[in-house]
Amino acid sequence: MRFTLKSAAAALAMTTALAAPASAELTGDLRIFFNDQNPAPRAAMEGMVERFQEMHPELNIELTLIDREANKTQIRNYLTANAPDVNGWYAGNRMRPYVNAGLFEDVSDLWDGPMGEELASTRPALTLDGKQWGVPYTYYQWGIYYRSDIYEELGLTPATTWEEEISNCQAILDSGRKCYTIGTRFLWTAGGWFDYLNLRTHGYDFHMALTANEIPWTDDRVRETFANWRTLIDMGAFIDNHTAYTWQEAQPYLVNGQAAAYLMGNFLVEPLRDAGMTDDQLGFYQFPEITPGIPMAEDAPTDTLHIPAQAQNKEAAREFLLYVASAENQTIANEVLGQLPVNSNAEVADDKFIQAGFEMLSNATGGIAQFFDRDADAEMASAAMEGFQEFMVMPDNLDAILNRLESVRQRMLED
Amino acid sequence: MAAPITSEPAPPPARGYWRSNQMRIAPWLFLAPGMVFFAIYVVLPIFQSFHISLYRWDGLGEARYIGLQNYERLLDDPAFYTSLWNNLRWLVLYLLAIPGGLFIALFLNQQVRGIRLYKSLFFFPFVISQVVVGLVFAWFYNPSIGLLNPILGLFGAGPVNILGNPNTVTYGIIAAGLWPQVAYCMILYLTGLNAVDPEQVEAARLDGAKGWKMLWYVILPQLRPATFIAVVVTVIGALRSFDMVSVMTNGGPFGSSRVLAYYMFEVSLSEFGFRMGYGAAIAVVLFLIMMVYIAFFLWRMWREERGY
């Protein structure tokens, strides 16, 4: 930890600013575009706005909720014309097109203060070209959610090694069920499988080099990852017809006990609970080790808030981001979200899955990846995830798929 | 204008420009708003697309001139050929809507109590938005909850995963698209049948024509205008088949149901699409394909107006 006189002074200034908000009264409008309309995120965001409003009664806050998928295409319109003061987006390479185009405000000044220390774990994910471009408000773990009652019935325990995972899967298949449910219609679910297989087969550094286009897709190490995947595919471990389902449409297979596990992010828990599953039926375990000795790295996508470069009220926007990042807010907001706070001083909710995720990520010595479609460039991400889906249906096409991905990579290097 | 030949006194000398040219200018004035909007929203974007297709541009930052490179890359892009091939399938199979619509129109063209109700029920699919049609068919095909597999099961066939299988997915989407398109062709033919001359039918009947011969030699020639319009709208409908693909499969599985219009959207405007120049190049190719048909239709119309 680097603790200089300057940062101490900044820390002092910041804490007094937070403790006595009346000292610099914010006025004018603060327009926030938030990218989730689902019940929990909506309630969390509305709570943040409400508390911030109480601290700054003179400020006129206007919150607009945009559908998560719609925001992914609308962002380029609103960042270039009629920009809000704060907008929701994602960490990692997903920021790059907007950072390169100069549409996101550089907020490194916020990170230089004590906030930077408290959010240190996600600093790399918010950093591009040596500067920080936003502030995280939540993140969540990925891992294997499994039916503990089925495991109990079959006398299985969650695997910690690849051999155990495969022998467990065989036992589940023998009982007339599928090992994993998945819906690949929107492709990204297959990206989760690739992330974990690649992180466990070759480790974090290799995975990051691959997503940064530094390693050819035709490399033998990439083939090893796919060979591990193929072991499961050839066993028939995944549900049939997964190309026709969305990730939500794949849930009933787990709920009805036709499949025993689901590799997914922690946002899976809420719909499963709504579907009537209890904590006695549902368990969570870390994706098992494949190559012995490789430090465990995890996927933990971080959701973020940014200030558009064309924002009108950047002063209020900065103040809002500081509040969003604060330990107090992250404790409350993530309790509502059912996810993990990024601020190291925030408290983690007392929930079985959130606690399990917190413990797993605190011990993720290998590193924290964002997710395939946030680590890789947009064009590579869409081509590769399409290839993953094809591989899951027609594993014999692997050579053609890898050659295609390699030609995309070559073209991107040329550009 | 020619001078009046009558022996009237000469026209008053001070006639304004407007008065003397009123007849010539008025039609242009009425056309002007339409022409202005057509130029801004149709003609200009065509040239803009050509222009953008020569650049590498992510839609946000600086555009860089790269000449014809986007077109060169199209030629080695397997996804482009998949889309082109699917467009061809759409073109051919979508034309089935025309005999289908004709058949239903002939069937409904009778005087029975309540026939208006039946006609409107048959027309109903065309009134529903394409997006809704796509959703309904996607549920129908869904291998776990859809109706299709239980129905096939009654005949001992199936189960099938139409939208998840690269070999069947395009046909599944075209079938969904045909449902409203048949209704559209039906209504075109129903109006056409109203104009069929009963005396000619009577005369043909006296000559002993019936069944297929009556249809082929007497009815169909009189339906030619309706057939012409049906072909035009069906071909154009097939080429711009975007909404169904987007709603039902997003071009999947692994891109096997893409058509050119969808691929263009995908590379330039979708979640992961930042290649405006490449998308514009696809748009230009699609435009040139459409141009072939449009030119053909315009030529036909021009020929008919001249009375050949």
Side-chain angles (χ1 to χ4, degrees):
Chain A
M1 216 193 263
R2 208 162 46 94
F3 199 74
T4 60
L5 195 65
K6 195 176 149 203
S7 68
L12 195 67
M14 215 72 81
T15 43
T16 44
L18 272 181
S23 62
E25 194 48 69
L26 297 171
T27 53
D29 296 332
L30 179 67
R31 292 169 63 227
I32 302 170
F33 283 6
F34 183 62
N35 57 328
D36 208 327
Q37 295 175 330
N38 286 313
R42 177 189 192 129
M45 190 65 204
E46 284 171 350
M48 290 187 219
V49 168
E50 206 169 290
R51 293 189 295 277
F52 190 67
Q53 180 77 76
E54 269 170 33
M55 295 160 63
H56 302 281
E58 296 294 300
L59 195 63
N60 177 29
I61 307 180
E62 195 184 300
L63 174 64
T64 307
L65 297 162
I66 302 174
D67 173 69
R68 205 171 166 85
E69 296 303 319
N71 183 65
K72 290 174 181 171
T73 49
Q74 282 176 16
I75 181 169
R76 18 188 143 168
N77 298 342
Y78 66 65
L79 285 185
T80 46
N82 196 16
D85 300 304
V86 173
N87 75 293
W89 192 238
Y90 313 101
N93 244 329
R94 271 322 259 295
M95 303 189 296
R96 184 167 292 283
Y98 311 104
V99 169
N100 284 352
L103 293 171
F104 275 166
E105 173 91 352
D106 173 6
V107 293
S108 306
D109 52 321
L110 300 181
W111 285 81
D112 289 341
M115 186 191 93
E117 309 280 359
E118 293 173 1
L119 304 182
S121 62
T122 50
R123 183 189 283 266
L126 271 303
T127 304
L128 285 177
D129 308 330
K131 295 172 189 150
Q132 287 78 47
W133 303 95
V135 163
Y137 59 93
T138 186
Y139 73 134
Y140 49 89
Q141 81 270 19
W142 269 67
I144 301 181
Y145 294 81
Y146 72 106
R147 285 287 298 267
S148 42
D149 50 346
I150 294 178
Y151 267 56
E152 222 162 89
E153 179 196 320
L154 300 176
L156 305 173
T157 48
T160 54
T161 66
W162 189 235
E163 289 71 33
E164 284 171 26
E165 185 71 29
I166 287 169
S167 69
N168 278 354
C169 178
Q170 193 57 54
I172 292 164
L173 288 172
D174 292 343
S175 75
R177 301 175 177 97
K178 291 289 187 181
C179 305
Y180 313 105
T181 183
I182 186 172
T184 59
R185 187 172 154 197
F186 288 108
L187 307 178
W188 55 267
T189 48
W193 272 96
F194 178 80
D195 273 355
Y196 268 104
L197 287 161
N198 201 37
L199 285 170
R200 292 288 184 268
T201 310
H202 297 297
Y204 180 81
D205 293 335
F206 177 81
H207 185 69
M208 288 329 240
L210 182 68
T211 50
N213 284 342
E214 286 160 15
I215 291 172
W217 281 87
T218 44
D219 191 292
D220 278 341
R221 288 170 294 179
V222 179
R223 286 178 197 277
E224 285 168 25
T225 299
F226 279 101
N228 286 330
W229 201 344
R230 178 144 196 181
T231 310
L232 296 178
I233 293 168
D234 287 348
M235 289 168 75
F238 298 97
I239 59 164
D240 298 327
N241 299 332
H242 54 77
T243 51
Y245 306 133
T246 64
W247 76 272
Q248 291 102 331
E249 286 167 343
Q251 290 165 15
Y253 289 89
L254 190 67
V255 176
N256 301 334
Q258 291 155 292
Y262 201 168
L263 175 68
M264 192 42 69
N266 196 52
F267 50 83
L268 174 70
V269 172
E270 198 191 318
L272 290 185
R273 282 184 178 150
D274 289 346
M277 298 204 66
T278 64
D279 285 8
D280 296 333
Q281 292 174 293
L282 192 64
F284 171 81
Y285 68 95
Q286 187 177 24
F287 198 97
E289 183 179 77
I290 295 181
T291 305
I294 286 186
M296 298 291 232
E298 306 294 333
D299 262 347
T302 308
D303 288 352
T304 51
L305 293 177
H306 305 264
I307 304 177
Q310 296 175 16
Q312 299 296 315
N313 196 348
K314 288 182 184 170
E315 190 200 353
R318 279 196 154 75
E319 208 55 50
F320 182 67
L321 291 199
L322 273 180
Y323 176 68
V324 165
S326 70
E328 175 210 332
N329 174 61
Q330 296 226 340
T331 304
I332 305 172
N334 281 290
E335 176 105 40
V336 179
L337 273 170
Q339 294 182 2
L340 290 164
V342 181
N343 191 309
S344 56
N345 294 337
E347 281 166 39
V348 178
D350 182 25
D351 172 278
K352 176 179 163 186
F353 297 100
I354 300 176
Q355 289 287 349
F358 181 70
E359 194 188 331
M360 181 179 83
L361 293 174
S362 307
N363 298 318
T365 47
I368 304 272
Q370 285 299 313
F371 192 75
F372 191 82
D373 65 1
R374 301 186 191 186
D375 290 323
D377 274 318
E379 193 185 339
M380 196 69 234
S382 78
M385 294 193 303
E386 195 174 295
F388 301 157
Q389 189 197 34
E390 181 172 350
F391 175 74
M392 287 187 75
V393 182
M394 304 182 192
D396 290 337
N397 289 2
L398 182 63
D399 283 328
I401 295 168
L402 292 182
N403 287 334
R404 205 167 65 220
L405 296 187
E406 179 56 17
S407 72
V408 172
R409 187 183 82 96
Q410 291 293 346
R411 196 184 62 226
M412 294 185 69
L413 292 179
E414 270 174 47
D415 289 354
Chain B
M1 262 201 193
I5 317 170
T6 52
S7 57
E8 274 175 46
R15 267 186 23 167
Y17 177 79
W18 166 245
R19 276 180 158 270
S20 54
N21 294 291
Q22 205 172 7
M23 292 290 279
R24 271 190 308 155
I25 295 174
W28 291 107
L29 276 180
F30 280 109
L31 279 174
M35 286 170 66
V36 168
F37 283 104
F38 187 74
I40 294 177
Y41 292 110
V42 179
V43 181
L44 194 65
I46 292 174
F47 289 100
Q48 273 179 324
S49 293
F50 271 112
H51 181 72
I52 294 174
S53 75
L54 303 177
Y55 285 82
R56 176 174 304 137
W57 185 39
D58 64 2
L60 299 166
E62 288 287 299
R64 189 152 61 83
Y65 181 78
I66 52 166
L68 292 176
Q69 199 190 53
N70 283 326
Y71 294 93
E72 283 163 28
R73 285 187 172 166
L74 262 188
L75 293 178
D76 313 317
D77 184 351
F80 172 69
Y81 290 105
T82 309
S83 315
L84 202 61
W85 177 232
N86 279 337
N87 258 123
L88 199 68
R89 288 191 234 199
W90 269 89
L91 260 181
V92 173
L93 292 177
Y94 219 46
L95 288 174
L96 289 177
I98 294 169
L102 176 65
F103 176 78
I104 298 177
L106 291 171
F107 176 67
L108 288 178
N109 189 41
Q110 43 189 317
Q111 302 300 324
V112 188
R113 204 179 144 76
I115 191 71
R116 275 162 189 268
L117 177 69
Y118 301 133
K119 282 180 184 172
S120 43
L121 283 178
F122 271 94
F123 187 56
F124 194 61
F126 186 69
V127 180
I128 310 174
S129 148
Q130 296 256 310
V131 174
V132 177
V133 173
L135 272 180
V136 168
F137 268 81
W139 291 329
F140 176 67
Y141 291 141
N142 188 308
S144 66
I145 56 164
L147 261 178
L148 179 66
N149 278 334
I151 292 174
L152 287 178
L154 291 180
F155 302 98
V160 290
N161 174 16
I162 301 246
L163 295 184
N165 181 336
N167 299 318
T168 54
V169 58
T170 297
Y171 301 110
I173 303 174
I174 295 174
L178 276 176
W179 190 47
Q181 193 65 25
V182 165
Y184 192 19
C185 291
M186 175 203 82
I187 214 79
L188 289 173
Y189 277 120
L190 272 177
T191 37
L193 283 170
N194 278 338
V196 166
D197 185 356
E199 284 181 15
Q200 286 192 29
V201 176
E202 196 58 33
R205 201 164 275 158
L206 286 177
D207 286 345
K210 55 187 171 190
W212 288 109
K213 284 203 158 160
M214 172 77 102
L215 178 67
W216 190 253
Y217 292 107
V218 181
I219 307 290
L220 274 187
Q222 297 191 58
L223 288 177
R224 263 188 61 190
T227 309
F228 178 68
I229 297 293
V231 171
V232 173
V233 295
T234 306
V235 165
I236 291 175
L239 283 173
R240 49 166 215 171
S241 48
F242 169 83
D243 23 23
M244 289 275 182
V245 176
S246 173
V247 170
M248 294 177 74
T249 63
N250 289 89
F254 36 93
S256 43
S257 64
R258 281 189 187 114
V259 291
L260 286 175
Y262 187 79
Y263 190 43
M264 169 186 77
F265 162 80
E266 204 179 350
V267 298
S268 55
L269 299 166
S270 71
E271 185 182 345
F272 297 108
F274 288 93
R275 299 165 74 195
M276 291 292 169
Y278 198 63
I282 300 170
V284 168
V285 171
L286 187 59
F287 171 74
L288 292 178
I289 296 174
M290 285 207 182
M291 225 26 220
V292 172
Y293 288 93
I294 293 168
F296 171 72
F297 293 136
L298 287 178
W299 174 73
R300 277 264 323 245
M301 278 165 76
W302 175 76
R303 216 180 50 158
E304 284 191 357
E305 280 192 5
R306 286 191 39 188
Y308 284 104

